[in-house]
């Protein structure tokens, strides 16, 4: 009977540890999903930033052309 109780205890412990391991794996999966979402957000922000940079560069070229039309008298 003692061997049976010992084996039964070990099986119970294995089951308990397997459940904890499963919960830990699920937590890692959730963390990876969160990291993926953040990475996608960052990629979108980089694209928006690049588009804004390009727009500002074009506006600077246009402003330079407009300002270049003015002439100042020598003092």
């Amino acid at each position: 009977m003692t061997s049976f109780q010992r084996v039964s205890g070990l099986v119970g412990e294995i089951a308990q540890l397997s459940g904890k391991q499963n919960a830990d794996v699920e937590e890692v999966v959730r963390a990876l999903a969160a990291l993926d979402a953040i990475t996608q957000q960052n990629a979108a922000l980089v694209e928006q930033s690049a588009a804004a940079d390009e727009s500002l560069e074009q506006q600077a070229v246009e402003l330079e052309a407009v300002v270049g039309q003015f002439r100042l008298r020598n003092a």
Side-chain angles (χ1 to χ4, degrees):
M1 202 65 165
T2 305
S3 294
F4 176 75
Q5 289 174 339
R6 186 171 178 207
V7 169
S8 179
L10 289 173
V11 168
E13 189 177 341
I14 289 170
Q16 181 183 7
L17 292 173
S18 292
K20 183 175 179 346
Q21 185 179 30
N22 187 43
D24 290 345
V25 168
E26 287 177 4
E27 186 176 347
V28 169
V29 167
R30 284 192 299 272
L32 288 174
L35 285 173
D36 182 54
I38 290 169
T39 299
Q40 290 181 18
Q41 275 183 322
N42 286 344
L45 289 172
V46 166
E47 286 182 24
Q48 289 175 356
S49 179
D53 180 58
E54 192 174 316
S55 175
L56 285 173
E57 187 175 342
Q58 181 60 37
Q59 290 175 11
V61 168
E62 292 171 7
L63 181 60
E64 187 177 14
V66 169
V67 170
Q69 295 175 4
F70 292 97
R71 300 282 182 241
L72 298 176
R73 285 188 280 176
N74 290 336

